[in-house]
Short mmCIF file of all heavy atoms in Angstrom, two decimals:
data_model
loop_
_atom_site.label_atom_id
_atom_site.label_comp_id
_atom_site.label_asym_id
_atom_site.label_seq_id
_atom_site.Cartn_x
_atom_site.Cartn_y
_atom_site.Cartn_z
N HIS K 266 307.42 38.67 67.12
CA HIS K 266 306.50 39.26 66.14
C HIS K 266 305.41 40.00 66.94
O HIS K 266 305.23 39.90 68.16
CB HIS K 266 305.98 38.23 65.20
CG HIS K 266 305.24 37.08 65.82
ND1 HIS K 266 304.02 37.08 66.50
CD2 HIS K 266 305.67 35.71 65.95
CE1 HIS K 266 303.73 35.90 66.98
NE2 HIS K 266 304.64 35.10 66.66
N ALA K 267 304.61 40.82 66.13
CA ALA K 267 303.60 41.64 66.74
C ALA K 267 302.59 40.88 67.55
O ALA K 267 302.09 41.41 68.55
CB ALA K 267 302.91 42.48 65.64
N TYR K 268 302.12 39.71 67.09
CA TYR K 268 301.17 38.91 67.89
C TYR K 268 301.76 38.51 69.26
O TYR K 268 301.00 38.61 70.28
CB TYR K 268 300.80 37.66 67.09
CG TYR K 268 300.02 37.88 65.83
CD1 TYR K 268 300.87 37.93 64.59
CD2 TYR K 268 298.73 38.02 65.74
CE1 TYR K 268 300.29 38.05 63.34
CE2 TYR K 268 298.11 38.19 64.50
CZ TYR K 268 298.90 38.25 63.28
OH TYR K 268 298.27 38.40 62.11
N ALA K 269 303.03 38.11 69.20
CA ALA K 269 303.70 37.73 70.46
C ALA K 269 303.86 38.92 71.44
O ALA K 269 303.72 38.77 72.65
CB ALA K 269 304.99 37.06 70.19
N ALA K 270 304.19 40.05 70.89
CA ALA K 270 304.37 41.22 71.65
C ALA K 270 303.04 41.67 72.40
O ALA K 270 302.98 42.02 73.50
CB ALA K 270 304.85 42.41 70.79
N VAL K 271 301.94 41.58 71.59
CA VAL K 271 300.57 41.90 72.16
C VAL K 271 300.21 40.88 73.17
O VAL K 271 299.67 41.26 74.32
CB VAL K 271 299.53 41.86 71.04
CG1 VAL K 271 298.08 41.90 71.60
CG2 VAL K 271 299.68 43.15 70.18
N SER K 272 300.58 39.64 72.97
CA SER K 272 300.31 38.58 73.97
C SER K 272 301.04 38.79 75.26
O SER K 272 300.57 38.67 76.31
CB SER K 272 300.70 37.16 73.42
OG SER K 272 300.31 36.16 74.27
N ALA K 273 302.28 39.42 75.17
CA ALA K 273 303.06 39.75 76.37
C ALA K 273 302.37 40.86 77.16
O ALA K 273 302.21 40.77 78.33
CB ALA K 273 304.45 40.28 75.98
N GLY K 274 301.75 41.88 76.39
CA GLY K 274 301.01 42.87 77.12
C GLY K 274 299.78 42.30 77.76
O GLY K 274 299.45 42.70 78.91
N LEU K 275 299.10 41.42 77.11
CA LEU K 275 297.86 40.92 77.74
C LEU K 275 298.17 40.04 78.92
O LEU K 275 297.36 40.02 79.82
CB LEU K 275 297.14 39.88 76.68
CG LEU K 275 296.48 40.71 75.57
CD1 LEU K 275 296.06 39.70 74.46
CD2 LEU K 275 295.21 41.38 76.06
N GLY K 276 299.35 39.46 79.02
CA GLY K 276 299.87 38.71 80.19
C GLY K 276 300.00 39.53 81.37
O GLY K 276 299.84 39.17 82.51
N VAL K 277 300.31 40.85 81.13
CA VAL K 277 300.58 41.74 82.30
C VAL K 277 299.33 42.57 82.67
O VAL K 277 299.10 42.82 83.95
CB VAL K 277 301.69 42.73 81.92
CG1 VAL K 277 301.95 43.73 83.04
CG2 VAL K 277 303.08 41.97 81.70
N ILE K 278 298.51 42.80 81.74
CA ILE K 278 297.40 43.80 81.90
C ILE K 278 296.33 43.23 82.93
O ILE K 278 295.51 43.90 83.44
CB ILE K 278 296.68 44.14 80.66
CG1 ILE K 278 295.98 45.43 80.73
CG2 ILE K 278 295.76 43.02 80.16
CD1 ILE K 278 295.50 46.00 79.36
N GLU K 279 296.41 41.89 83.16
CA GLU K 279 295.41 41.17 83.95
C GLU K 279 295.44 41.59 85.43
O GLU K 279 294.57 41.24 86.25
CB GLU K 279 295.53 39.62 83.83
CG GLU K 279 294.37 38.93 84.20
CD GLU K 279 294.51 37.44 83.71
OE1 GLU K 279 295.51 37.00 83.37
OE2 GLU K 279 293.39 36.72 83.81
N GLY K 280 296.55 42.14 85.90
CA GLY K 280 296.74 42.46 87.30
C GLY K 280 295.74 43.47 87.91
O GLY K 280 295.27 44.38 87.16
N PRO K 281 295.46 43.38 89.17
CA PRO K 281 294.37 44.31 89.76
C PRO K 281 294.90 45.71 89.85
O PRO K 281 293.99 46.66 90.11
CB PRO K 281 294.17 43.69 91.18
CG PRO K 281 295.45 42.91 91.46
CD PRO K 281 295.84 42.37 90.18
N LEU K 282 296.24 45.97 89.70
CA LEU K 282 296.68 47.40 89.63
C LEU K 282 296.81 47.91 88.35
O LEU K 282 297.35 48.90 88.16
CB LEU K 282 298.03 47.39 90.41
CG LEU K 282 298.02 46.87 91.83
CD1 LEU K 282 299.47 47.07 92.51
CD2 LEU K 282 297.00 47.70 92.70
N HIS K 283 296.33 47.12 87.29
CA HIS K 283 296.43 47.55 85.95
C HIS K 283 295.05 47.48 85.26
O HIS K 283 294.12 48.16 85.66
CB HIS K 283 297.52 46.80 85.19
CG HIS K 283 298.09 47.37 83.95
ND1 HIS K 283 297.73 48.73 83.56
CD2 HIS K 283 298.88 46.87 83.02
CE1 HIS K 283 298.34 48.94 82.44
NE2 HIS K 283 299.12 47.86 82.12
N GLY K 284 295.01 46.56 84.29
CA GLY K 284 293.65 46.55 83.51
C GLY K 284 292.54 46.04 84.23
O GLY K 284 291.41 46.32 83.90
N ALA K 285 292.74 45.17 85.32
CA ALA K 285 291.57 44.67 86.08
C ALA K 285 290.96 45.68 87.02
O ALA K 285 289.99 45.32 87.69
CB ALA K 285 292.03 43.44 86.76
N ALA K 286 291.67 46.90 87.20
CA ALA K 286 291.19 47.82 88.25
C ALA K 286 289.68 48.27 87.86
O ALA K 286 289.00 48.63 88.82
CB ALA K 286 292.14 48.98 88.30
N GLY K 287 289.39 48.36 86.58
CA GLY K 287 288.07 48.84 86.20
C GLY K 287 286.92 47.85 86.78
O GLY K 287 285.89 48.36 87.20
N GLY K 288 287.26 46.58 86.78
CA GLY K 288 286.27 45.63 87.34
C GLY K 288 286.06 45.79 88.85
O GLY K 288 284.92 45.76 89.34
#
Side-chain angles (χ1 to χ4, degrees):
H266 55 71
Y268 299 93
V271 168
S272 185
L275 288 168
V277 175
I278 205 172
E279 201 169 11
L282 300 182
H283 199 6

